[in-house]
Structures are given as structure tokens and as C-alpha cells.
């Protein structure tokens, strides 16, 4: 077995685990590779952020890179990584051809985060007030880019079983190019609940989400306009606290203390906020992937009420840790019932533990992932020979990307 030791991650942004589920996901991946003695370099063209994680404290080298610049070629030739992980398809579009050209033997991995084409098509259907159909994906412009990126890579991490099925059934992607990898967390036990605030110690409803993510902004609008008035009518003392990174002015304008609707801004510690809340509300109407906020609620022992899209691919055949509803009045009634019924609330907590342990167990996935990468390393040539569409896309699509990039670089020098 080849010993793979050097990993380059090319990030869309610097990881902010306290701002978004994507940031948490990236840190989970880093932890798995670090635990298996990989030397990790994280490179990104993004600007630094005051909220980004200190990568050095995790033993990860941080490198700033430039778009459309041959300096990246010099950088990757010198680094000579065994594995390159692209953070989202847009990064693979920018740097994939340079990696393939300068380090052809490096395994190329893609972390999709979620299927952007699914999120985009659902958003479009929502705005047009039309039912979403899977065939909508076939005419979605971003799908052509995203699927091409998946085909060009040796292996793509897919976070949702529903999205695995879409890639296999709708886009006819060979399963050898796909690897199911959900959020990965530690095992939970019922005794863990005793360390958390009790039913009596908790108060308020809570929503938490990064406002740079359009589905989160839409969810808060929906809460404010349609659901919260019904909850207040049935439960006048109710209070909802809305937390989230990067709130815009339009978000802040929803702050209405007299209506029990509080816009709290960024949470210093998201987990602490959720632990103190009694119920998480997440009436998500479009989106894709898995919802980090709902997994975090389970880990914090906080039951939730969400929609079918919110809970999609998150609980297998297990009971949800609260309720799932797409109807406004039913959603509001479920929220009140879950808040006030202690027995129901406690059972929902236990349901959450079962979901965490059944669907998101770190020990179940992490060692298998490293084994899959080592196997891929040993069979890389034959693996790529069998992926003719991928090599075809490298030959044609990336030729155009390459020369466009070189044209931009030349233009920038003038």
C-alpha cells in the first residue's frame, strides 16, 4: 500500500466553523486527515476573515494563493502533494487544470458541500411558485458546470444520500466516482443528556444560520411573516431568538421585541446558544445537502421543528427529534406542543441521540475514507482509464479554462 502523506486543500473560503455548517464540515475533514498523519496545507484565494479558524493551531499550514496566476504552478510543483482536495466545484474549475498539469499523479478529490444545482433549481422553482421536478436539474446551467467538475475528479464527497441518488439516477454518474460522506460527529449516550440544561432550565425558541446563505434568510422571513404570528396567538409568552453570522440590514429590520421576535446577530458560541434554547425552529423551504443547524440541535439535546427539505436525508428510517411539517398551521401547533409537553420533549431528545449515532458516527466513516483513498492511490491509472468522460472533459473543457486563465493573467499584467 502506498503511503500517502501530503494533502493540499484548496478552499473557497477560510474555514469559519462558528459561522456555517460548511466551515464545520471542513474542520471535520481536516481532523480525519490529521489523525491519519497527513501533512496538511490549506490554500485559498479568499481574503482573511476575523472569524476564520487558526489553522496553525491544528497543525495546518496556511497559504494564500492567487486566481489566474502562474505563481500557483510554482507553489504546487514545490509542494508536490499526494492528494488535492477542492472545496466546492468552483475551486476545481479554477485550479483543477493546474493541478492536473503540474501534479498529474496527485489524487483529485472534490468536497461538493451540497449539490449547488439542486439548491439553485429548488430556489428557482420556489420563486416561480411551481413544483420542483428532478428533471429541472437537467436544464440548470450550474448543473453542467458542477457535474463536469465531479467527472473530472477522481472521487467526490457527497454529503446526502438523496444527492447520491440524484447523481446516480438523474445524471448517470458512475458510483466509482462518488463517496457518501455525511457530517461526522462523536457518539452520544443518554447519560450525556444529564450534562445538558434540563427542560425546566431552558427557555425560548431559537433559529440559527449564516445569512450569506439565501435559504436561511428566506427561512427567517417565513418565520416572521407566516409562522410566528400563529405561535404567538396560541402561546402569547413565546419568544424567538434569531442568531446568525453576517446579518444584513434587511435581517436586522425584522427585530420586533414587542412581538417576541429578537434578531440577536452572530452567536459567540452557537452550541451554547442552542443548549439553552428549548426548541429549534427551522422551516426551510429550499436548499440542498444536510442542515448543520439541525444536527447541532440534536447534539445539544434540543428538539426541533423543521420541514421535509430541512430533514431531508438526515434521519434514515428513524423518528425525528421533534416534528416535520410543511404546513404553516401544523408547524406552529407542533412548535407549541413540543415546547410545552415535557414527555414529548424528552422523547424527542432521545430520538436525536439515535439519529446522531445511526447516521453521523465519525468512527463508522473516517477509517473507511482513508482506506478508500489508499485503494484509489494504488489503482489510480485504471480508475482514470475507466472514467473516459472525465478524461474527455479534461482534454476539452479545461483547455478552454486554461487559455482563458492565461488570457486574464496576461491582461492583468498590462
Amino acid at each position: 500500500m502506498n503511503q500517502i502523506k501530503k494533502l493540499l486543500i484548496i478552499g473557497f473560503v477560510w474555514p469559519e466553523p462558528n459561522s456555517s455548517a460548511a466551515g464545520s464540515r471542513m474542520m471535520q475533514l481536516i481532523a480525519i486527515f490529521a489523525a491519519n498523519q497527513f501533512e496538511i496545507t490549506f490554500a485559498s484565494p479568499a481574503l482573511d476573515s476575523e472569524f476564520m479558524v487558526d489553522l496553525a493551531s491544528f497543525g495546518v499550514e496556511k497559504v494564500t494563493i492567487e486566481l489566474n496566476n502562474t505563481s500557483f504552478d510554482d507553489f504546487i510543483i514545490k509542494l508536490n502533494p499526494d492528494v488535492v482536495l477542492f472545496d466546492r466545484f468552483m475551486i476545481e474549475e479554477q485550479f483543477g487544470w493546474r493541478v492536473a498539469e503540474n501534479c498529474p499523479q496527485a489524487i483529485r478529490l472534490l468536497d461538493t458541500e451540497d449539490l449547488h444545482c439542486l439548491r439553485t433549481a429548488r430556489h428557482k422553482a420556489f420563486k416561480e411558485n411551481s413544483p420542483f421536478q428532478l428533471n429541472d436539474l437537467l436544464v440548470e446551467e450550474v448543473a453542467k458546470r458542477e457535474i463536469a467538475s465531479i467527472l473530472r475528479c477522481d472521487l467526490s464527497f457527497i454529503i446526502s444520500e438523496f444527492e447520491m441518488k440524484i447523481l446516480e439516477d438523474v445524471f448517470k454518474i458512475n458510483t466509482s466516482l462518488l463517496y457518501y460522506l455525511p457530517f461526522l460527529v462523536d457518539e452520544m449516550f443518554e447519560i450525556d443528556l444529564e450534562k445538558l440544561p434540563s427542560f425546566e432550565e431552558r427557555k425560548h425558541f431559537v433559529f440559527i444560520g449564516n445569512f450569506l446563505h439565501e435559504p436561511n434568510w428566506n427561512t427567517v422571513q417565513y418565520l416572521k411573516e407566516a409562522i410566528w404570528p400563529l405561535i404567538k396567538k396560541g402561546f402569547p409568552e413565546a419568544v424567538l431568538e434569531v442568531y446568525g453570522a453576517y446579518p444584513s440590514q434587511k435581517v436586522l429590520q425584522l427585530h420586533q421585541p414587542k412581538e417576541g421576535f429578537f434578531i440577536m446577530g452572530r452567536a459567540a458560541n452557537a452550541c451554547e446558544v442552542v443548549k439553552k434554547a428549548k426548541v429549534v425552529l427551522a422551516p426551510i423551504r429550499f436548499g440542498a445537502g444536510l442542515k448543520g443547524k439541525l444536527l447541532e440541535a440534536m447534539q445539544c439535546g434540543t428538539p426541533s421543528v423543521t420541514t421535509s427539505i430541512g430533514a431531508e436525508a438526515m434521519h434514515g428510517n428513524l423518528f425525528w427529534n421533534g416534528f416535520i411539517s410543511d404546513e404553516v398551521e401544523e408547524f406552529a401547533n407542533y412548535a407549541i406542543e413540543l415546547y410545552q409537553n415535557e414527555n414529548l420533549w424528552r422523547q424527542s431528545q432521545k430520538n436525536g441521540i439515535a439519529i446522531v449515532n445511526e447516521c453521523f458516527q465519525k468512527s463508522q466513516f473516517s477509517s473507511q475514507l482513508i482506506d478508500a483513498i489508499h485503494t484509489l492511490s494504488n489503482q489510480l491509472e485504471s480508475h482514470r482509464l475507466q472514467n473516459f468522460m472525465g478524461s474527455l472533459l479534461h482534454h476539452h473543457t479545461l483547455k478552454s479554462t486554461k487559455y482563458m486563465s492565461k488570457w486574464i493573467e496576461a491582461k492583468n499584467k498590462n
Side-chain angles (χ1 to χ4, degrees):
M1 180 183 288
N2 293 340
Q3 286 301 306
I4 304 173
K5 288 296 179 187
K6 204 175 285 187
L7 167 69
L8 169 64
I9 302 174
I10 309 179
F12 183 67
V13 293
W14 302 109
E16 293 186 22
N18 204 35
S19 297
S20 70
S24 298
R25 158 74 160 192
M26 180 53 70
M27 295 311 297
Q28 289 168 10
L29 293 177
I30 286 173
I32 290 172
F33 285 106
N36 286 274
Q37 284 73 56
F38 277 74
E39 297 173 28
I40 306 173
T41 301
F42 194 106
S44 177
L47 296 174
D48 284 5
S49 151
E50 64 175 303
F51 302 108
M52 67 185 188
V53 76
D54 178 13
L55 289 167
S57 68
F58 292 89
V60 176
E61 183 182 3
K62 174 181 177 290
V63 177
T64 298
I65 53 178
E66 289 186 53
L67 298 171
N68 305 306
N69 196 308
T70 53
S71 60
F72 178 84
D73 301 345
D74 299 331
F75 158 70
I76 197 168
I77 288 169
K78 183 178 179 182
L79 183 66
N80 192 26
D82 302 294
V83 183
V84 177
L85 173 61
F86 302 105
D87 171 26
R88 287 166 263 207
F89 79 89
M90 302 82 82
I91 285 295
E92 190 278 335
E93 284 181 328
Q94 287 285 342
F95 294 99
W97 69 269
R98 291 185 184 274
V99 172
E101 195 169 78
N102 294 294
C103 295
Q105 292 308 306
I107 294 171
R108 298 187 295 272
L109 306 176
L110 173 64
D111 186 33
T112 57
E113 292 289 354
D114 60 30
L115 279 186
H116 292 66
C117 59
L118 176 61
R119 174 152 39 96
T120 303
R122 278 178 167 166
H123 191 187
K124 195 173 292 183
F126 172 79
K127 287 193 293 186
E128 294 171 357
N129 198 26
S130 62
F132 167 73
Q133 306 288 339
L134 285 177
N135 279 346
D136 294 346
L137 295 168
L138 296 173
V139 295
E140 185 56 53
E141 192 67 28
V142 73
K144 297 176 178 64
R145 295 170 56 198
E146 190 165 26
I147 298 305
S149 183
I150 289 171
L151 287 168
R152 285 190 297 261
C153 289
D154 297 311
L155 199 63
S156 291
F157 299 157
I158 311 301
I159 204 167
S160 155
E161 289 179 313
F162 179 68
E163 294 178 6
M164 285 283 286
K165 188 166 176 57
I166 286 175
L167 290 168
E168 293 169 25
D169 296 350
V170 178
F171 293 110
K172 313 301 181 187
I173 304 292
N174 192 303
T175 54
S176 67
L177 299 177
L178 307 175
Y179 193 89
Y180 172 58
L181 194 67
F183 291 128
L184 304 176
V185 297
D186 293 322
E187 190 173 1
M188 286 187 73
F189 304 93
E190 285 196 24
I191 196 170
D192 293 334
L193 297 178
E194 297 173 13
K195 304 170 189 174
L196 298 169
S198 66
F199 178 83
E200 296 81 8
E201 291 171 319
R202 296 172 182 246
K203 60 180 181 178
H204 304 331
F205 294 97
V206 72
F207 170 83
I208 191 161
N210 186 326
F211 287 109
L212 295 179
H213 192 54
E214 182 65 24
N216 287 333
W217 158 237
N218 180 268
T219 296
V220 173
Q221 277 184 302
Y222 187 40
L223 273 169
K224 179 70 170 61
E225 295 166 7
I227 295 172
W228 190 244
L230 295 175
I231 292 177
K232 284 295 281 184
K233 183 178 178 181
F235 181 22
E237 307 88 55
V239 169
L240 172 63
E241 294 182 339
V242 175
Y243 288 86
Y246 304 106
S248 63
Q249 193 56 41
K250 62 184 180 181
V251 175
L252 298 173
Q253 286 173 349
L254 297 181
H255 184 67
Q256 295 288 340
K258 290 181 180 178
E259 298 174 15
F261 199 96
F262 291 82
I263 303 296
M264 309 297 290
R266 176 185 287 271
N269 185 316
C271 191
E272 288 303 314
V273 164
V274 177
K275 279 180 185 177
K276 294 174 183 175
K278 191 164 278 187
V279 175
V280 166
L281 300 180
I284 299 162
R285 292 191 284 182
F286 57 88
L290 301 180
K291 310 304 178 285
K293 61 177 68 61
L294 294 174
L295 176 58
E296 182 175 58
M298 297 177 206
Q299 292 178 281
C300 293
T302 311
S304 63
V305 187
T306 190
T307 56
S308 54
I309 284 182
E312 181 179 271
M314 288 201 66
H315 61 113
N317 295 318
L318 302 173
F319 290 110
W320 189 247
N321 74 319
F323 291 105
I324 300 168
S325 176
D326 296 320
E327 300 298 325
V328 175
E329 289 192 10
E330 186 178 61
F331 191 102
N333 290 335
Y334 280 154
I336 295 169
E337 184 181 2
L338 192 54
Y339 194 102
Q340 296 178 335
N341 186 329
E342 182 174 354
N343 289 334
L344 177 63
W345 189 88
R346 291 189 183 281
Q347 183 57 52
S348 296
Q349 273 193 326
K350 293 176 183 177
N351 293 349
I353 288 179
I355 293 169
V356 167
N357 291 340
E358 178 75 22
C359 304
F360 303 102
Q361 200 44 242
K362 185 195 298 181
S363 59
Q364 180 184 337
F365 291 97
S366 54
S367 60
Q368 293 175 8
L369 169 63
I370 299 301
D371 288 345
I373 292 171
H374 281 298
T375 299
L376 182 57
S377 173
N378 292 327
Q379 302 171 356
L380 192 59
E381 186 176 351
S382 62
H383 178 83
R384 287 178 176 172
L385 276 174
Q386 292 166 29
N387 179 19
F388 180 75
M389 290 302 295
S391 61
L392 181 148
L393 286 165
H394 266 294
H395 182 76
H396 291 287
T397 314
L398 291 191
K399 280 285 191 288
S400 59
T401 306
K402 172 180 177 177
Y403 290 114
M404 173 61 79
S405 179
K406 288 186 174 295
W407 178 81
I408 292 171
E409 182 177 13
K411 185 171 179 286
N412 289 339
K413 286 178 180 177
N414 291 336

